[in-house]
Amino acid sequence: MYANIALGVLSSLPTAITGTNRLIVDIAMFFGLLVIVAMALNFQYGNAGIPNMGCAVQVIVGAFSVSSIVMRVMFTVVAAAGVPLTDWNNDFNWVYANPANVGLVNQYIKTNAMMGVAFFLFSIAVAVVLGSLMGYLLALPAIRLRATYLMIVLITMADASQIIGRNVVFISGGTLGVWIPNVFAWYPGDVGVISAVVTLLLGLISFFVFRTMLNSPYGRLMRSMRENEVTLASVGKNVVGIRRNILMFASGITAIAGVMNCYYLQFSAESGYQRAYWTYWPWLMLILGGPGNNAGTFLGAALIIALRRVIIVFKFEIQQFFFFPIAYMEDIILGGLLVFVMIFRPNGLIPEKLLYIPGVNYTKMIKEDVKVDWRAAPKSRAKKEAKK
Amino acid sequence: MDLTILFMAITYASELTLLSIGFTLTYLTAKIPNFAHGTYAGYGIYVTYTFAKFFGISPYYGLPVAFLVGGLISVIVFKLVISTLGKMGSGAIVLTIATLAIQIFLGAILYIYAYAFIAFFKQYATGFMLKDWDFKIGDVSGIFFVSIGISLITVIALHYLLTKTKLGIAMRATAEDPELSSVLGINTTNVQTFSWFLTGGLACLAGSLMPLWFQCSPMTGSGIITSIMAGSLLGGFESVYGAIIGGFTIGMAEVLLTLAGQLVIGNWFGEYRPLIPMAFLIIVLLIEPRGLQGFYENWQKRKVAPKPKEPEAKEAKK
């Protein structure tokens, strides 16, 4: 059985990806997606102390940038290459002719692999830029105020973005949603496998980016801001500016998750980006794993995603024991879990560790510092000087 | 245009006032925005539903029950989660996220309750309106008078409680500084529990009035939280009197501006109704983060301008 799974995942033949193998690909994909969001959240909340309750907005920006901007660019380029696409200029045609157009674009990408890669890179770039811009806009009303105001603004923005996406057909096809061209059509195997691999790779890259930033002087600045803002401001640092920069940077990274979600599902609709899903779960993963370290985020994301996906896949087997939809059972379990973890393991499964700075042994320094009695030290030095 | 829409706006606004007062009281006691506050209203909706559809009597008998149910849920939430986490020294951010978890938890329980009606009693319970169960005075539904009456009574009773009784003064003192008031002999835990009971009860009471005019579902309670926060923020977030004005303003604005938009711009504007409180929220934060309370305090300062003290100083020298 395991050999079969390994074969399915590695060889990625379309026929091999069924049943349990599909579940594993699915778990890997959603682990990749949510680990990006949770790591960005860890960067903001765990290390800089910014309570970002608007992860859903940042993800939705990535998804909407694909469905509204990148897809139009794709259609324009492909139409210029001579493929007879149906007219897509007004709102009705945009949704109505969408499946046929997407099919033609997929056939074009199948023969022109380089164009597929170019479209993919372009969409990532657009998402990062628009995500950062969104981070700036999100920061505008409440970044100077108390954390409570920031939370309120961000949590309402998540609902607002969904309402706008639902009613403006131009953005994401309104309530019907739109199909997204498959930029990995040139790959002979399964689309799910390649997008999962690419997402995990992007997650790995963003992990190294975040780690480098945390181990740099800027990371220490962030941690000092989390501990005490007033002190940092008194040293002459621009606290508001630092906070805004961090929010913008993390927004850009989070938007990549929205892009990859679009390419995995090959479909985009506003109903897929609910606040409960994309804001609450990253927070649950972060609190479960332990805020402030990436290892905890990985562990939390893996646990929650495995639980979620297993419930979804075995939905019909479990459903017969309940009279209500199983999704609400899941809400009760996950909602209760967060409070449970907060009360019984306030530091998470893996507590925060000290930052790694090459050449500095923090643990040793702290041990030595405890031994030195700082109150007595100046006096004893004064006595020594007096004896001399 | 007849006056029905105005009555509807006033009904909605008075219900929102009750919710905003509760939200502000929670913020004063625990220093956190309680995202689960709207979900308490959802429980009120289902108390009314149970009284009408299960017991088959007028839903107005359910109002005291709704108050008690909401208070009980709120006290359980406070004792089990907020108080426990507060004693452990968790910050405001952690507590707020805990309320988000509670919102999801309580919302799921409400859905299960609704689905139990569907499964066991074969009654449609996930989207309903109980306007038929209401009485009528002339052409106007009774809920208009009841909701206005209840919110007026609540405002007057709350004013009396907070200014004239010992318990209310203790509540204000605890909100101001828990440590100092405990030094003065106030049992802060009991006072906080009472405030949470009051907030939950008021929220549930407001919710129980809703299905008599508006279409309700288990989602209604969680969906209204933006309007509640906007009302509370417009009032200044730390002032109960501000919350009364703020909640009423947001409620009226939400209904009347939607109507105005539909008449002037086009019918599609109705879809954007939830954006109106959000717009208020952001505008208030950009102009004066402390809301009406901030404006009031600035006005007071200007009114009582500090007089130059030079003559007194000269007299003292003499």
Side-chain angles (χ1 to χ4, degrees):
Chain A
M1 182 199 164
Y2 294 108
N4 199 5
I5 294 168
L7 192 75
V9 172
L10 291 176
S11 72
S12 75
L13 292 168
T15 48
I17 311 296
T18 49
T20 325
N21 300 351
R22 176 57 75 194
L23 175 63
I24 288 171
V25 172
D26 209 40
I27 289 177
M29 179 66 203
F30 278 89
F31 173 74
L33 280 179
L34 278 151
V35 98
I36 293 176
V37 181
M39 260 190 319
L41 184 63
N42 183 24
F43 186 69
Q44 293 162 88
Y45 172 68
N47 291 299
I50 303 166
N52 177 15
M53 301 284 252
C55 303
V57 190
Q58 301 164 350
V59 174
I60 222 171
V61 166
F64 284 176
S65 75
V66 172
S67 63
S68 65
I69 298 173
V70 176
M71 197 147 82
R72 277 165 218 274
V73 171
M74 277 184 193
F75 284 179
T76 316
V77 170
V78 172
V83 180
L85 294 182
T86 323
D87 176 51
W88 70 88
N89 282 321
N90 63 24
D91 277 355
F92 178 78
N93 281 348
W94 173 243
V95 178
Y96 184 74
N98 174 262
N101 282 349
V102 166
L104 289 173
V105 171
N106 282 353
Q107 278 181 4
Y108 175 77
I109 292 174
K110 216 170 207 169
T111 47
N112 300 293
M114 282 321 289
M115 285 314 284
V117 175
F119 285 143
F120 174 69
L121 293 177
F122 176 66
S123 62
I124 295 281
V126 168
V128 169
V129 171
L130 281 183
S132 311
L133 203 66
M134 197 65 198
Y136 182 78
L137 287 179
L138 287 175
L140 214 52
I143 200 81
R144 292 163 196 283
L145 307 171
R146 253 176 300 167
T148 319
Y149 290 117
L150 188 66
M151 282 163 127
I152 286 177
V153 167
L154 290 177
I155 214 160
T156 51
M157 290 269 197
D159 289 355
S161 60
Q162 250 192 309
I163 291 164
I164 291 170
R166 192 179 306 148
N167 292 305
V168 183
V169 181
F170 175 84
I171 293 176
S172 182
T175 44
L176 293 170
V178 284
W179 295 95
I180 303 287
N182 175 15
V183 285
F184 304 116
W186 43 269
Y187 182 70
D190 189 76
V191 190
V193 174
I194 178 107
S195 43
V197 168
V198 170
T199 313
L200 288 173
L201 269 177
L202 284 172
L204 200 67
I205 293 168
S206 53
F207 166 69
F208 280 112
V209 169
F210 282 136
R211 204 187 70 148
T212 318
M213 280 201 73
L214 285 179
N215 290 338
S216 70
Y218 202 80
R220 297 193 281 279
L221 190 67
M222 277 161 60
R223 286 212 170 182
S224 64
M225 190 174 81
R226 181 189 67 181
E227 296 304 328
N228 198 331
E229 286 176 13
V230 181
T231 318
L232 195 64
S234 75
V235 187
K237 300 288 180 189
N238 179 4
V239 175
V240 173
I242 295 168
R243 222 189 283 165
R244 187 195 297 125
N245 290 351
I246 290 167
L247 198 60
M248 280 172 71
F249 181 75
S251 284
I253 301 280
T254 314
I256 294 175
V259 174
M260 289 318 295
N261 190 32
C262 267
Y263 286 144
Y264 178 65
L265 302 174
Q266 292 177 31
F267 184 72
S268 168
E270 53 79 30
S271 57
Y273 301 94
Q274 279 168 0
R275 185 183 78 195
Y277 190 121
W278 288 101
T279 302
Y280 177 68
W281 288 356
W283 272 101
L284 179 57
M285 289 161 191
L286 185 68
I287 302 277
L288 177 66
N293 65 0
N294 281 328
T297 313
F298 278 116
L299 184 64
L303 286 176
I304 300 293
I305 289 298
L307 179 66
R308 268 280 311 176
R309 285 287 133 189
V310 166
I311 288 178
I312 286 179
V313 169
F314 296 105
K315 204 173 195 169
F316 295 106
E317 282 85 343
I318 310 172
Q319 181 66 63
Q320 52 191 332
F321 301 111
F322 295 98
F323 62 83
F324 51 85
I326 194 73
Y328 302 118
M329 195 66 212
E330 194 188 307
D331 280 359
I332 287 186
I333 293 173
L334 294 180
L337 184 67
L338 182 66
V339 174
F340 190 83
V341 170
M342 275 178 174
I343 291 174
F344 293 102
R345 285 207 71 113
N347 289 329
L349 293 174
I350 304 175
E352 188 185 334
K353 281 176 196 152
L354 291 162
L355 284 175
Y356 166 75
I357 302 165
V360 177
N361 190 346
Y362 249 136
T363 339
K364 202 179 163 192
M365 263 172 71
I366 282 181
K367 270 179 193 165
E368 283 171 359
D369 277 4
V370 171
K371 278 177 197 166
V372 179
D373 189 355
W374 288 105
R375 284 167 302 176
K379 284 178 193 168
S380 56
R381 200 192 300 148
K383 276 177 193 171
K384 274 179 194 170
E385 281 171 7
K387 276 177 190 175
K388 280 175 189 175
Chain B
M1 182 190 130
D2 58 349
L3 284 174
T4 320
I5 197 99
L6 192 66
F7 290 146
M8 178 181 149
I10 292 173
T11 312
Y12 182 70
S14 18
E15 286 159 11
L16 205 61
T17 309
L18 289 179
L19 287 164
S20 291
I21 292 170
F23 190 81
T24 308
L25 271 178
T26 319
Y27 189 78
L28 283 173
T29 358
K31 304 287 172 216
I32 53 160
N34 184 2
F35 288 126
H37 197 79
T39 316
Y40 299 160
Y43 279 80
I45 289 168
Y46 274 86
V47 169
T48 304
Y49 180 85
T50 314
F51 265 76
K53 288 284 168 81
F54 186 67
F55 296 123
I57 52 175
S58 170
Y60 288 114
Y61 292 114
L63 297 186
V65 180
F67 189 79
L68 286 179
V69 166
L72 203 67
I73 293 168
S74 185
V75 167
I76 290 171
V77 165
F78 174 64
K79 283 281 173 195
L80 278 186
V81 184
I82 306 292
S83 169
T84 318
L85 284 174
K87 273 177 203 159
M88 282 163 56
S90 309
I93 294 169
V94 172
L95 284 176
T96 314
I97 293 151
T99 63
L100 199 66
I102 292 163
Q103 185 211 336
I104 285 170
F105 187 83
L106 290 179
I109 289 180
L110 203 58
Y111 260 108
I112 290 172
Y113 183 75
Y115 273 96
F117 268 100
I118 295 174
F120 300 126
F121 303 109
K122 309 285 178 227
Q123 276 183 349
Y124 194 64
T126 47
F128 55 87
M129 194 153 101
L130 302 172
K131 224 170 175 177
D132 299 343
W133 293 82
D134 201 6
F135 63 90
K136 279 203 165 186
I137 299 175
D139 270 352
V140 187
S141 298
I143 183 67
F144 169 66
F145 302 104
V146 173
S147 56
I148 278 199
I150 285 185
S151 51
L152 275 181
I153 291 169
T154 310
V155 166
I156 293 165
L158 206 67
H159 177 72
Y160 180 76
L161 177 79
L162 287 178
T163 49
K164 295 288 189 300
T165 61
K166 257 191 169 174
L167 182 64
I169 292 167
M171 268 169 72
R172 274 161 61 203
T174 313
E176 205 68 41
D177 194 336
E179 287 176 9
L180 200 61
S181 51
S182 73
V183 168
L184 287 169
I186 296 167
N187 188 341
T188 46
T189 322
N190 283 1
V191 169
Q192 279 177 343
T193 314
F194 178 75
S195 327
W196 277 81
F197 179 80
L198 203 62
T199 58
L202 287 179
C204 210
L205 192 64
S208 72
L209 298 171
M210 277 193 159
L212 292 166
W213 197 312
F214 307 102
Q215 186 171 8
C216 289
S217 71
M219 274 292 286
T220 313
S222 328
I224 206 173
I225 185 71
T226 323
S227 309
I228 302 172
M229 289 193 297
S232 188
L233 197 70
L234 181 62
F237 231 42
E238 288 181 349
S239 147
V240 176
Y241 303 107
I244 295 165
I245 302 170
F248 199 80
T249 315
I250 295 288
M252 294 292 277
E254 209 182 314
V255 177
L256 295 181
L257 282 184
T258 312
L259 180 75
Q262 276 179 329
L263 290 177
V264 175
I265 305 171
N267 229 2
W268 54 268
F269 191 79
E271 295 288 333
Y272 294 93
R273 177 177 161 169
L275 289 186
I276 291 172
M278 293 175 195
F280 263 93
L281 204 108
I282 288 164
I283 291 167
V284 167
L285 281 181
L286 285 176
I287 295 173
E288 170 61 275
R290 270 155 65 242
L292 291 175
Q293 196 199 4
F295 275 121
Y296 179 73
E297 277 171 13
N298 288 346
W299 181 63
Q300 286 279 335
K301 265 183 210 164
R302 218 176 294 152
K303 207 170 139 191
V304 191
K307 289 173 186 172
K309 287 183 178 178
E310 285 167 23
E312 289 175 14
K314 279 174 189 171
E315 280 169 19
K317 274 179 187 174
K318 283 171 189 174

